[in-house]
Amino acid sequence: MYKTGLIRLLFNFEAKNRNDLYLHYFNVGKLLSIAPKVKEHLYIELVNYNNINFDRSLNSPTQQISKQSKRLEINEKVERIYNDLFYSWSEIDNKMKIEKKQQIELDDSESPSLNIQSNIEPLKRLENIFFNYYQILYNENPKLNVSIIPLDLIKEKEINNNKNINNNNNNNNNNNNNNNNNNNNNKNGLGFIKNDIDILFLDNSMNQSEQEKELKLINENLNNPIKSIDSTSISIDFSYPKHFYEQKETGKNLTKWVPPFKSVVLGGTFDRMHPGHKVMLTMAALVCSDYMEVGITDNSILTSKKYSELITPLEYRTDKTLNFLKLINPSVEYNMLKLVEPYANTMTSTKLECIVISPEVYKTAIKINTVRRESKLKPLEIYSISYFDTPHQGDDVKLSSSYLRELDYKEMMKNKQQQQQQ
């Protein structure tokens, strides 16, 4: 088993039809193949990919399976998960109607989020992709730390727009010691990976020359180059067709995602970061082009939470949240704030344009906008992260930080009892 690993997956964020979605079949197979191989941290490069012949190159997942290979249990598991999570996307119109309805229900009726509404389809497609991949890996290995890093997705800003827009921020709660200024010399988020990566997972259909080329390409963006390759863990059934790697096809007519807002705000405790946290942070980073305020709740106002004594210190949660955001969108300036009350600058800032929330804090967002209207400030657009119910969440327990702290507490008590019995 490896301590840390990295895998490169292709995806198309504009996927709308059945043929486009077949790519996820291969990705699900790859993830299920390598999840048991990594002990601590798995990094996933999610590469925005658009082959102009893409929709004609995949007929169906089952037709891609090698005739020589036996029908293994993992093949059946991959097909089951793929059909549950992705195959239904072929009815994209019906799905988008539901997503739009949910977004309207969690919007400000007095100040509708017009920019969000006009981008709701690509936003929800991206959100679903990230959540599904995180959820699949969490179900396979709950203790595995996973970071999904989108590459070639966000349209690069013009140099003239890449300015420090934080000069007027006089907030007394500003935690300026958190290294908020990003190193924009990094080509993408991979440059912010701090720890060594033990292994690069590659398709076993790639020859040695292709493997070396792929390794070199990935190492160009890493501070600590990967030295080893594993090309045996992924079955041939889940290897991409050869022509996926053709340079003349990959990236042709590639559509880039343009963040709809310059400045965004969100807040949370972010203790024991789980898939829900990561999806929320990822989507916040994807809707923002320049500046983000991230409020991290101070331990002093968390005493009423369940197992509050196990909540990690503010500094740890702040650093971990900032490091994750930089992986997703390193061009944004992140202003990490210590929250001792729910609102911070949201009611008074003239800079902020959008607030990213989870459904349970909807009333807080509405209160913020009510105060802003009374103060003659433009209300914030609201983007609400969806809750997902899938058959792969395991037990019928809502995945939350409180639940994870409870699991840690029970483990501590179990270990304590075992020590006393020795």
Side-chain angles (χ1 to χ4, degrees):
M1 178 176 281
Y2 310 108
K3 185 177 180 181
T4 56
L6 186 146
I7 187 171
R8 199 173 194 229
L9 300 182
L10 304 176
F11 88 116
N12 182 350
F13 89 93
E14 290 192 303
K16 295 182 180 180
N17 60 58
R18 185 175 300 176
N19 290 342
D20 286 333
L21 298 174
Y22 288 148
L23 182 58
H24 293 291
Y25 173 83
F26 296 94
N27 291 347
V28 172
K30 293 174 191 288
L31 293 178
L32 291 183
S33 298
I34 68 174
K37 306 285 185 177
V38 183
K39 183 178 181 181
E40 293 187 8
H41 203 146
L42 175 62
Y43 294 94
I44 301 172
E45 282 190 61
L46 200 58
V47 182
N48 187 22
Y49 169 86
N50 182 25
N51 185 321
I52 61 171
N53 297 315
F54 187 64
D55 61 349
R56 294 187 295 276
S57 60
L58 295 179
N59 296 316
S60 74
T62 53
Q63 292 179 23
Q64 301 296 325
I65 294 176
S66 170
K67 296 180 181 180
Q68 287 76 29
S69 65
K70 295 180 180 179
R71 293 291 296 166
L72 302 175
E73 182 179 348
I74 188 172
N75 297 84
E76 297 175 358
K77 185 175 182 179
V78 169
E79 285 189 28
R80 184 175 68 252
I81 294 177
Y82 166 78
N83 288 334
D84 288 340
L85 297 185
F86 293 104
Y87 192 76
S88 60
W89 284 21
S90 59
E91 301 177 2
I92 191 68
D93 290 338
N94 291 332
K95 186 173 183 62
M96 284 302 109
K97 288 178 182 178
I98 296 174
E99 297 286 7
K100 289 177 181 178
K101 181 180 178 181
Q102 292 175 342
Q103 183 64 38
I104 291 173
E105 291 174 351
L106 293 172
D107 200 359
D108 187 340
S109 59
E110 295 188 39
S111 306
S113 303
L114 300 180
N115 210 354
I116 291 294
Q117 291 177 15
S118 64
N119 287 281
I120 193 64
E121 288 193 23
L123 284 171
K124 289 303 178 181
R125 282 199 297 270
L126 284 167
E127 189 178 323
N128 274 269
I129 289 171
F130 287 109
F131 184 89
N132 287 341
Y133 284 175
Y134 275 121
Q135 196 66 57
I136 289 168
L137 289 167
Y138 182 83
N139 290 337
E140 289 299 305
N141 185 354
K143 294 188 179 299
L144 180 62
N145 187 7
V146 178
S147 298
I148 302 178
I149 308 169
L151 298 181
D152 301 320
L153 174 61
I154 303 173
K155 185 175 182 180
E156 294 181 3
K157 296 184 295 182
E158 294 180 4
I159 296 176
N160 290 337
N161 290 332
N162 190 16
K163 300 177 180 178
N164 180 0
I165 62 173
N166 194 33
N167 292 335
N168 297 322
N169 182 17
N170 296 318
N171 177 48
N172 292 330
N173 289 329
N174 188 357
N175 205 0
N176 282 322
N177 294 324
N178 289 316
N179 296 321
N180 294 336
N181 293 325
N182 298 326
N183 179 4
N184 288 322
N185 293 325
N186 291 283
K187 295 182 180 180
N188 53 51
L190 293 181
F192 290 97
I193 296 177
K194 296 181 179 180
N195 54 310
D196 294 335
I197 299 177
D198 297 336
I199 200 75
L200 172 64
F201 293 100
L202 293 176
D203 289 354
N204 62 12
S205 60
M206 300 175 73
N207 59 41
Q208 185 174 351
S209 176
E210 291 170 331
Q211 292 178 11
E212 292 175 352
K213 181 179 178 181
E214 195 81 351
L215 179 63
K216 181 180 179 181
L217 178 65
I218 290 171
N219 279 338
E220 287 178 354
N221 293 297
L222 290 172
N223 295 317
N224 302 313
I226 303 173
K227 298 178 181 179
S228 301
I229 292 173
D230 180 335
S231 60
T232 61
S233 292
I234 300 173
S235 166
I236 188 67
D237 292 348
F238 310 123
S239 295
Y240 294 134
K242 275 284 187 180
H243 66 274
F244 276 27
Y245 295 100
E246 292 180 8
Q247 196 64 35
K248 64 179 181 179
E249 299 291 353
T250 304
K252 189 175 290 188
N253 298 329
L254 187 64
T255 301
K256 297 275 189 172
W257 168 250
V258 180
F261 302 101
K262 288 186 176 181
S263 55
V264 172
V265 64
L266 78 157
T269 303
F270 301 113
D271 180 45
R272 288 160 173 77
M273 196 177 288
H274 55 68
H277 290 145
K278 293 177 179 179
V279 172
M280 182 178 184
L281 292 169
T282 298
M283 296 309 299
L286 291 180
V287 299
C288 182
S289 65
D290 291 342
Y291 173 77
M292 186 187 300
E293 290 187 0
V294 186
I296 309 294
T297 312
D298 186 44
N299 292 67
S300 63
I301 61 171
L302 295 173
T303 54
S304 62
K305 283 187 173 287
K306 194 173 183 181
Y307 303 104
S308 60
E309 69 277 9
L310 298 182
I311 296 176
T312 50
L314 172 68
E315 294 76 13
Y316 176 84
R317 291 182 282 117
T318 299
D319 288 344
K320 190 167 185 177
T321 303
L322 176 60
N323 291 337
F324 182 84
L325 285 166
K326 285 182 177 180
L327 291 175
I328 308 303
N329 190 349
S331 66
V332 169
E333 179 186 356
Y334 297 103
N335 185 8
M336 311 302 289
L337 306 176
K338 171 183 175 181
L339 287 184
V340 293
E341 46 83 23
Y343 307 109
N345 301 326
T346 54
M347 292 179 172
T348 58
S349 174
T350 58
K351 182 187 302 182
L352 300 175
E353 299 174 332
C354 172
I355 184 169
V356 178
I357 65 168
S358 52
E360 68 266 21
V361 297
Y362 167 69
K363 291 183 178 179
T364 300
I366 294 299
K367 183 175 181 179
I368 289 170
N369 275 352
T370 300
V371 173
R372 290 180 68 89
R373 279 191 293 268
E374 293 172 351
S375 304
K376 308 301 181 183
L377 291 175
K378 185 178 180 179
L380 303 177
E381 293 208 22
I382 301 172
Y383 181 68
S384 178
I385 303 300
S386 300
Y387 281 148
F388 297 87
D389 296 320
T390 77
H392 305 288
Q393 288 187 340
D395 298 333
D396 294 329
V397 178
K398 177 187 173 183
L399 185 57
S400 66
S401 298
S402 298
Y403 170 63
L404 296 178
R405 286 196 296 274
E406 181 179 357
L407 293 182
D408 286 346
Y409 177 80
K410 291 179 178 178
E411 184 69 21
M412 289 169 54
M413 292 298 100
K414 180 180 178 181
N415 293 337
K416 186 176 181 180
Q417 290 178 352
Q418 290 177 346
Q419 292 176 358
Q420 291 175 346
Q421 292 174 357
Q422 292 178 353

